[in-house]
Amino acid sequence: MTEIDTSVPHSARIWNYWLGGKDNYPVDEAAGDAYTAVFPGIVTIARSSRAFLGRSIRYLVTEAGVRQFLDVGTGLPTVDNTHEVAQRLAPESKIVYVDNDPLVLAHARALLTSTPEGVTAYEDLSLYEPEKILQAASRTLDLSRPTALILSGILGHVADYEQARGIVRGLLAGLPSGSYLSLNEGSRGTDPAYEQAQDAYNETGAVPYFLRPVDQIAAYFEGLDLVEPGLVSVPLWHPEPGGEEPLPIGQHGALGRKP
């Protein structure tokens, strides 16, 4: 098994810390606190991203009738993982998680709980190998049936934008008509303080995450029919009724259907 280095901060563990999770170390808390000292809004971004994921899954299950999910770049388990949200509404749902982080693999058991009617599986594969991901997913999912592809805050780790687009195209190519893409990413153009903090973080030698302009995020959905309201700052996408008025943040997301 790959040795997990607890002496340097790790982006998945820092994100876990911001989400209120327990799978992190003092070095991650220190890095997370240093970031929040510069930009306190990062905790809102982390939690809003997670909330968008939950709302999009609920839409997929209840409105679109989807029962199969391919969650690529899963990250560490926290509350309301994809299978928990989906199977709470439709116990027969099947979920395949994909990540190639030894830390996530070590915690994958927490992702593999399932209802008796449904299935969850974890595949230790790289984001950069769409064909292998589809091949592995087909052991659990019937890829001739509509499937929801979930890419939540992962493509910013791909430094080359065209390569990131190619990954999305490659994964969607293996899914049939009626499938969906749920995607959200850190964005430029809404919150200069976030952009400044993230650019500074990227220069620390940590694994960088690149914020992208909204039009570049929109291009990930090329060829798909967007569910209303289209690509928006994530708090504005199907906000919970009766809650506070949602405010835009530097994180955009959408749900698109493959025609």
Side-chain angles (χ1 to χ4, degrees):
M1 183 164 171
T2 309
E3 191 67 27
I4 294 168
D5 189 347
T6 61
S7 68
V8 293
H10 183 288
S11 60
R13 294 195 309 246
I14 296 169
W15 197 253
N16 176 268
Y17 172 56
W18 288 332
L19 286 172
K22 300 286 184 281
D23 294 318
N24 47 74
Y25 296 94
V27 65
D28 307 305
E29 295 180 18
D33 288 343
Y35 195 118
T36 54
V38 175
F39 178 62
I42 190 60
V43 174
T44 299
I45 283 176
R47 295 180 181 182
S48 297
S49 169
R50 194 73 182 179
F52 165 82
L53 175 64
R55 295 196 305 278
S56 72
I57 292 167
R58 289 203 298 274
Y59 179 95
L60 285 162
V61 173
T62 59
E63 303 289 327
V66 172
R67 297 293 182 268
Q68 300 193 126
F69 297 83
L70 176 57
D71 186 335
V72 180
T74 306
L76 284 165
T78 53
V79 294
D80 278 350
N81 301 296
T82 296
H83 74 283
E84 292 167 327
V85 179
Q87 291 182 346
R88 198 178 297 143
L89 296 163
E92 71 277 18
S93 298
K94 297 180 177 182
I95 294 88
V96 173
Y97 291 107
V98 179
D99 212 312
N100 73 328
D101 184 328
L103 184 73
V104 178
L105 178 62
H107 289 274
R109 286 185 302 278
L111 292 170
L112 296 180
T113 56
S114 176
T115 55
E117 304 94 322
V119 182
T120 64
Y122 180 90
E123 300 290 349
D124 182 21
L125 288 168
S126 167
L127 173 69
Y128 296 93
E129 299 176 303
E131 288 180 9
K132 283 190 179 176
I133 289 173
L134 292 165
Q135 191 178 0
S138 70
R139 294 197 288 262
T140 302
L141 309 177
D142 177 358
L143 296 185
S144 68
R145 294 178 53 222
T147 301
L149 170 64
I150 294 169
L151 296 167
S152 182
I154 187 66
L155 294 173
H157 288 301
V158 181
D160 184 281
Y161 172 63
E162 288 306 324
Q163 186 175 25
R165 284 189 69 186
I167 288 167
V168 179
R169 279 196 299 266
L171 289 166
L172 285 172
L175 304 180
S177 171
S179 293
Y180 285 81
L181 169 64
S182 170
L183 179 148
N184 64 286
E185 285 291 327
S187 54
R188 289 192 180 275
T190 304
D191 191 336
Y194 177 33
E195 294 164 28
Q196 194 172 351
Q198 188 61 44
D199 291 346
Y201 174 85
N202 287 352
E203 288 168 11
T204 63
V207 176
Y209 180 87
F210 299 98
L211 305 179
R212 293 199 159 110
V214 176
D215 62 337
Q216 289 191 358
I217 298 172
Y220 291 134
F221 293 91
E222 185 179 17
L224 304 182
D225 299 326
L226 293 187
V227 172
E228 289 294 331
L231 179 67
V232 292
S233 181
V234 291
L236 309 183
W237 196 90
H238 293 245
E240 301 289 357
E244 292 180 14
E245 185 69 26
L247 298 172
I249 58 175
Q251 184 88 7
H252 279 67
L255 187 61
R257 183 183 184 275
K258 184 173 178 177

